[in-house]
Amino acid sequence: MVMLSQPHRRCKSNVEQQSEKLDSLDRKYTKKEKRYRKTSIVPPLLFLSLLWYVSIPANSSLKLRGNVKQSSTKTTIVLMGHTTKRFQNYKTIFATYGEMSSVIDKVLFLWNSVNDSPPSPPANTKVPILPLPQKKNSMNNRFGPDVLKYAETDVITVVDDDVVLSEQLLYSMLTAWAEAGDGPKPIVGTTLDARIVGAGLDYHHPCNKFDGWFTQADCWKALLYPWSPMWSRPLNLVVGKTMTLSKKHVHTYMNDTKITGYVDDGHFCEDILMNAVVRNVTGGHEPILVQLGTDGQRKTLVDDGGLSKKGIPLFNWHPKRTECVRWAESHFGPSAWN
């Protein structure tokens, strides 16, 4: 019988064996490292997701109309738009506000685009809706001549075009404004729109809001220092997404040419400057805040074409707002935010 020879097997050298062991350890380490990297980012992501969830009110089953009694004080809605990307928003907004005759006298729709025609509101709404094309695209138009000309109420409510307010929320804001006393009245805003001007004249989100943690380091630092002023600073400013104020303050704002000039120079902070105007007139009165959810609801709509999407990144927004806060202090004096 013929025996077939076995193929020759070359013995591996010690160097080769050692090299294979190192390669095996390296692959094992790399897998562990990847698993670590994946799992190590989970807690921060879960934490930020939780903050996002608790700080943003849900829109599901949002009830915009309700059994709201006739308000003794009605408001004029001041709504400003400039982009055709939000035409669907306007259909929702016009249909909703057009039925709220218990709290709204009329809607002034200021159209800031000089290149596009404004959308047409529906006919025969209970609340008149006036489209008002503007001569130039200026944030000052929110408090401009057409507001003074067409608003017949003592109070106006400025609302962005990427949200729509419930009837109950408008009623709550009007009630808070009416009960603010007989003298010059402060601005009425919502808790979600409250901001902080700190002792260093910095613009802050409160630390109980997602944006406070996501856009600034102060909230993270405050975790190490329970006595940090970030936990106790007053909410002394409201942004213009939703604010109710006296029409008299519009006169004061527009008569100050330094303010209107500063805004038209490219500083998108007419809401901050209106806060400063009202604080100056009321002797430093803090804004009155109503609670979203408890006092009414607000539905979020599409935000295409907003300032944050037109060359002002999120992390540049706070420095620009801080710049405006400090300009207001230089204009009104050291007591502007105290």
Side-chain angles (χ1 to χ4, degrees), residues 183 198-199 211 213 220 223 254 274 311 313 330:
D211 287 342
W213 297 88
W220 295 97
L223 286 175
M254 290 304 298
M274 178 56 87
S330 69

Side-chain angles (χ1 to χ4, degrees), residues 148-327:
L148 294 171
K149 179 179 179 180
Y150 292 104
E152 299 180 84
T153 56
D154 293 331
V155 56
I156 66 168
T157 299
V158 177
V159 191
D160 277 359
D161 62 350
D162 59 357
V163 294
V164 59
L165 312 185
S166 71
E167 197 168 17
Q168 181 60 52
L169 181 58
L170 281 167
Y171 182 85
S172 298
M173 296 180 76
L174 281 173
T175 301
W177 177 86
E179 294 176 352
D182 296 329
K185 299 178 186 291
I187 290 176
V188 178
T190 77
T191 49
L192 193 61
D193 301 322
R195 301 292 184 268
I196 299 168
V197 175
L201 297 179
D202 294 319
Y203 175 90
H204 297 282
H205 277 78
C207 289
N208 64 336
K209 299 290 185 291
F210 172 80
D211 287 342
W213 297 88
F214 188 67
T215 60
Q216 58 197 22
D218 289 348
C219 292
W220 295 97
K221 294 177 182 177
L223 286 175
L224 303 176
Y225 306 102
W227 57 87
S228 169
M230 284 302 294
W231 303 115
S232 58
R233 286 173 180 166
L235 301 171
N236 51 7
L237 182 151
V238 291
V239 297
K241 187 170 285 290
T242 304
M243 58 164 60
T244 293
L245 64 150
S246 302
K247 182 181 174 183
K248 291 179 180 179
H249 299 323
V250 177
H251 284 277
T252 306
Y253 178 101
M254 290 304 298
N255 286 336
D256 194 324
T257 55
K258 288 186 178 179
I259 287 179
T260 56
Y262 183 77
V263 171
D264 279 338
D265 282 343
H267 302 91
F268 304 112
C269 58
E270 80 294 338
D271 54 342
I272 291 178
L273 296 180
M274 178 56 87
N275 274 265
V277 165
V278 175
R279 291 179 64 88
N280 187 59
V281 171
T282 60
H285 201 302
E286 308 289 10
I288 298 172
L289 302 175
V290 299
Q291 180 73 46
L292 280 175
T294 304
D295 297 317
Q297 296 174 309
R298 183 173 73 185
K299 182 178 181 179
T300 301
L301 306 175
V302 174
D303 66 348
D304 284 349
L307 287 176
S308 60
K309 301 180 183 297
K310 294 175 72 66
I312 305 180
L314 178 63
F315 288 98
N316 287 346
W317 188 246
H318 276 71
K320 288 185 176 294
R321 303 287 275 179
T322 292
E323 179 185 339
C324 188
V325 163
R326 293 175 180 178
W327 185 90

